[in-house]
Amino acid sequence: MPTPESFPIEKIFVPTKQKKAIKPETVAEVAESIMEIGQQEPISIRLDGDRLVLVEGLHRLEACKALGETTILGVLVPAELAQHKPQLAERPEVEAERIKMARLKQLRLEKEAAEASTAALKGAGATQAPRARPTKGARDNPKASPGRTAKSKPRTLSDWITQQKGSGGRY
């Protein structure tokens, strides 16, 4: 393991993703500990071009800043090791929580899909053209016999008059 060195605090860049994980209570506890017994565990940093990037030790770094320190003990780690640091997901309780949340998300998505499908079926029935009330004519009645609905064109005037009389029309 490399030996700890002293690094200037203002030169250490903290990634935005890590900044979101700051817990003020933890920073206060670490600051108290540093005041009483000093910094026991060095932070891990890596080189990124010409700047130093924090890998591990966010609360220790913030505690030293809060105490007004200008330097902090740290270990320079290669970028390859920084990428492979142990993640929280390796702890069993964190992994169980992640699985539970993934299952809940899946159930929510299934429920939303079922609701959308039901709404689409109801919507499809509502979007059909409303049925017009059938008129009293035989042509509009789909159950009428074909002989009554299919009127042939009369060939002569007397055929036309006979047709009009049969259908109740005026001539």
Side-chain angles (χ1 to χ4, degrees), residues 8-97:
I9 291 177
E10 71 271 357
K11 301 279 185 189
I12 300 173
F13 171 76
V14 180
T16 307
K17 191 174 182 180
Q18 285 185 355
K19 284 181 184 176
K20 292 179 181 179
I22 293 176
K23 296 180 183 169
E25 313 84 47
T26 307
V27 172
E29 289 174 13
V30 172
E32 273 185 45
S33 173
I34 290 175
M35 282 178 46
E36 290 176 12
I37 59 174
Q39 182 184 352
Q40 300 296 307
E41 185 75 26
I43 63 170
S44 300
I45 54 176
R46 67 178 171 85
L47 277 174
D48 184 25
D50 59 342
R51 71 179 180 177
L52 300 170
V53 179
L54 181 70
V55 174
E56 193 173 42
L58 174 66
H59 291 101
R60 284 170 274 164
L61 178 66
E62 292 300 319
C64 285
K65 282 182 186 178
L67 292 171
E69 298 288 330
T70 56
T71 60
I72 188 168
L73 285 177
V75 176
L76 199 57
V77 295
E80 298 83 37
L81 290 178
Q83 299 300 324
H84 300 297
K85 71 176 189 165
Q87 297 294 320
L88 289 176
E90 293 176 5
R91 294 193 339 224
E93 64 273 4
V94 174
E95 185 64 18
E97 183 70 16

Side-chain angles (χ1 to χ4, degrees), residues 75-122:
V75 176
L76 199 57
V77 295
E80 298 83 37
L81 290 178
Q83 299 300 324
H84 300 297
K85 71 176 189 165
Q87 297 294 320
L88 289 176
E90 293 176 5
R91 294 193 339 224
E93 64 273 4
V94 174
E95 185 64 18
E97 183 70 16
R98 187 190 65 74
I99 290 170
K100 177 182 169 187
M101 294 307 291
R103 179 68 182 141
L104 287 173
K105 181 180 179 183
Q106 180 66 29
L107 289 171
R108 182 180 51 82
L109 291 174
E110 288 173 2
K111 179 182 176 189
E112 288 174 359
E115 289 172 352
S117 148
T118 304
L121 288 176
K122 287 181 181 177

Side-chain angles (χ1 to χ4, degrees), residues 130-149:
R131 294 185 181 210
R133 192 165 202 202
T135 56
K136 293 210 174 201
R139 282 183 243 179
D140 298 329
N141 187 353
K143 293 182 181 179
S145 64
R148 287 193 84 192
T149 57

